[in-house]
Amino acid sequence: FPFLVHIFIVVCSLSVTAMPIQAVIAREILDSRGNPTVEVDVTTELGRFRAAVPSGASTGIYEALELRDGDKQRYLGKGVLKAVNNVNTIIGPALVGKDPALQTEIDNLMVQQLDATQNEWGWCKQKLGANAILAVSLAVARAGAAQKGVPLYQHISDLAGFPGDKPFILPVPAFNVINGGTHAGNKLAMQEFMILPVGASSFREAMQIGCEVYHTLKKVINEKYGLDATNVGDEGGFAPNIQDNREGLRLVLEAINKSGHGDKVKIGMDVAASEFYKDAKYDLNFKQEGNDGSQQLTGVQLGDLYKEFIQEFPIVSIEDPFEQDDWEHYGQFTAAVGQQIQVVGDDLLVTNPKRVEKAINQQSCNALLLKVNQIGSVTESIQACQMSQQAGWGVMVSHRSGETEDNFIADLVVGLRTGEIKTGAPCRSERLSKYNQLMRIEEELGSRAQYAGLTFRRPLA
């Protein structure tokens, strides 16, 4: 009799979990900049699970291939019908009948067998497109979580191998409140000026603080430069027509202090230096064609400028301070300031495990910017994150400037317990979709989660 009961339990268990993929359908939709991107539906007995991929503007040259059609007669060449077709005719049929809970197996099938293209930095997705593969990978993760009957963040935690009783961590949000670089039409060379509410007691309070500083900043900019200076860039940050990067920092600090949160908020920057690197110099006036070259700096001079910023302002994080192949100045700068601040590799690392490994070995930076569409699969993203965490690095999960309403990265940052996320200003719905999801997750987890706060660089330490 006990044996029969055991058989009954096993059979019932199998009947609950055996819900293979029935269909994979892709379509072309539009992102927040009005450019086409890929959306995928994965269908199982439990329903339809949808995901859409983002797209960057300041993209690293080592990112996995984002497949575009190149037909200038349609969306100015930015259509993604080729990627959509690759999902519908190659990837989809190969995944029908597969168990969506087996994320690694499915990702490896897509990356290593169906696509199978490689370069010196690993699997580059040049056949099917990282946008095609990633859309499926994200949707499969949602289907896998549903099959297990757990939230997506729990499924991601399981995929990363965290113990079931490990507390979850809600991230410190890094709000991009002033936009420059390729994200805005002003003259600022440096791309993002961010605020991090590290002194908040919860994620919800961090959102309140961020919004209050944001609205205070709008008043500060309006008073100094007029109402038209409060227009926003791609990620919801303001784009005043200023050229001095130090002035951008001054505006942010003034807003922090006037909001009454001076003791709770720090500053971060994403310089995106690859965008203004040319002929071995960094041109802080790169948006002015034919300029006199008076604002061109060497790597050493640019590093010295950052050190001045760190002394003058409460900066805790600088992302992409140098060009994506400027390993020399990355290493020198990290050695000089790495104990004091977080030096984040974005274009340098492109969420690529092989480039992360090189940077760890050379001590080039001390934090990874984790963007799933740079590498093209959930599995490889988790691998890059784990390598970074094991090296004692920080990991900041990130959106892209061209976003959708998909909020996958909110669950990702909680499941991986990275302790920090940047997904734009508290403005524009495609940015708020991530922040709002994080508030829901915090509410759902209750005492099973803690806010990273001051430990955002190494919340697992």
Side-chain angles (χ1 to χ4, degrees):
F1 180 74
F3 175 75
L4 293 176
V5 171
H6 175 71
I7 294 295
F8 176 77
I9 292 173
V10 169
V11 170
C12 287
S13 174
L14 288 173
S15 67
V16 170
T17 59
M19 298 180 186
I21 294 171
Q22 297 175 337
V24 179
I25 303 296
R27 66 183 62 84
E28 184 182 67
I29 64 168
L30 298 178
D31 69 15
S32 59
R33 281 198 290 254
N35 291 326
T37 190
V38 182
E39 180 178 80
V40 163
D41 292 343
V42 168
T43 302
T44 73
E45 290 180 21
L46 290 175
R48 182 178 59 194
F49 303 93
R50 177 171 292 165
V53 297
S55 176
S58 59
T59 54
I61 61 174
Y62 298 107
E63 294 188 24
L65 176 70
E66 179 184 65
L67 184 61
R68 298 280 181 181
D69 296 341
D71 179 2
K72 298 298 183 182
Q73 302 303 310
R74 188 173 180 277
Y75 286 111
L76 306 177
K78 293 186 176 181
V80 291
L81 294 182
K82 291 179 181 178
V84 166
N85 185 63
N86 287 341
V87 173
N88 291 335
T89 63
I90 300 174
I91 297 175
L95 297 193
V96 171
K98 299 289 185 183
D99 182 351
L102 300 178
Q103 185 77 39
T104 303
E105 178 182 309
I106 288 175
D107 284 346
N108 288 345
L109 171 64
M110 291 191 289
V111 172
Q112 300 177 19
Q113 296 183 41
L114 299 180
D115 185 276
T117 56
Q118 296 186 67
N119 60 23
E120 62 175 316
W121 298 109
W123 306 102
C124 52
K125 291 87 177 173
Q126 290 185 349
K127 175 184 175 184
L128 301 179
N131 44 349
I133 294 170
L134 179 64
V136 177
S137 183
L138 300 178
V140 165
R142 286 197 165 104
Q147 177 167 291
K148 290 164 60 179
V150 300
L152 179 57
Y153 59 81
Q154 179 66 64
H155 181 46
I156 291 169
S157 177
D158 296 341
L159 292 172
F162 284 103
D165 58 352
K166 183 81 171 177
F168 288 97
I169 295 170
L170 271 296
V172 171
F175 299 104
N176 178 8
V177 293
I178 290 185
N179 291 181
T182 56
H183 290 177
N186 56 19
K187 294 181 180 180
L188 273 180
M190 298 183 185
Q191 187 166 274
E192 299 177 16
F193 298 76
M194 296 174 278
I195 54 171
L196 289 77
V198 297
S201 61
S202 65
F203 183 80
R204 183 169 290 274
E205 185 189 8
M207 287 302 303
Q208 177 187 333
I209 291 171
C211 289
E212 290 174 0
V213 174
Y214 181 76
H215 290 300
T216 303
L217 178 61
K218 182 175 183 178
K219 292 180 181 178
V220 169
I221 293 174
N222 186 19
E223 289 171 359
K224 291 191 175 187
Y225 301 104
L227 186 61
D228 61 347
T230 59
N231 292 331
V232 299
D234 287 346
E235 299 180 2
F238 302 115
N241 195 20
I242 57 178
Q243 184 168 339
D244 183 3
N245 296 287
R246 187 178 265 102
E247 174 63 11
L249 291 167
R250 289 195 192 105
L251 290 171
V252 172
L253 184 59
E254 182 178 346
I256 291 171
N257 291 331
K258 284 187 173 180
S259 72
H261 297 301
D263 59 334
K264 294 183 177 180
V265 181
K266 302 297 183 183
I267 296 175
M269 301 178 70
D270 173 12
V271 179
S274 292
E275 298 300 315
F276 54 87
Y277 180 81
K278 185 178 181 181
D279 299 328
K281 292 286 184 70
Y282 294 92
D283 185 2
L284 297 182
N285 193 24
F286 81 104
K287 293 185 180 181
Q288 180 68 47
E289 291 187 18
N291 67 70
D292 60 8
S294 62
Q295 294 190 55
Q296 292 182 2
L297 303 178
T298 65
V300 171
Q301 291 171 326
L302 185 59
D304 288 340
L305 178 62
Y306 297 141
K307 292 172 187 176
E308 292 177 12
F309 289 168
I310 294 167
Q311 291 298 315
E312 295 175 35
F313 303 96
I315 292 174
V316 294
S317 181
I318 299 181
E319 176 189 332
D320 275 357
F322 303 100
E323 193 265 345
Q324 57 211 338
D325 279 320
D326 194 350
W327 297 90
E328 177 187 0
H329 291 111
Y330 258 104
Q332 292 174 3
F333 185 63
T334 301
V337 304
Q339 292 297 316
Q340 187 176 355
I341 72 158
Q342 177 174 261
V343 181
V344 186
D346 175 18
D347 291 346
L348 179 77
L349 304 175
V350 293
T351 316
N352 182 303
K354 287 193 174 183
R355 289 185 71 85
V356 170
E357 181 181 23
K358 177 176 178 177
I360 290 172
N361 292 337
Q362 296 189 5
Q363 299 182 327
S364 304
C365 56
N366 60 20
L368 164 71
L369 196 76
L370 180 61
K371 292 176 173 175
V372 290
N373 84 314
Q374 286 182 326
I375 191 64
S377 75
V378 171
T379 297
E380 291 165 294
S381 299
I382 292 175
Q383 182 186 355
C385 177
Q386 290 176 318
M387 291 173 65
S388 302
Q389 289 172 324
Q390 290 165 7
W393 283 13
V395 177
M396 180 182 283
V397 170
S398 176
H399 65 160
R400 297 307 296 257
S401 52
E403 266 293 341
T404 72
E405 61 273 26
D406 190 298
N407 58 20
F408 187 96
I409 62 171
D411 286 78
L412 182 71
V413 70
V414 174
L416 295 180
R417 298 166 174 82
T418 73
E420 47 185 321
I421 187 172
K422 73 167 192 175
T423 182
C427 169
R428 301 182 54 138
S429 293
E430 77 278 1
R431 314 297 156 181
L432 271 300
S433 68
K434 286 75 165 170
Y435 293 133
N436 288 337
Q437 174 68 357
L438 282 163
M439 287 194 284
R440 297 183 198 106
I441 292 173
E442 182 177 55
E443 178 183 68
E444 181 176 289
L445 284 171
S447 61
R448 292 192 295 136
Q450 59 195 44
Y451 178 63
L454 293 169
T455 67
F456 72 96
R457 287 180 62 181
R458 296 179 182 86
L460 296 176

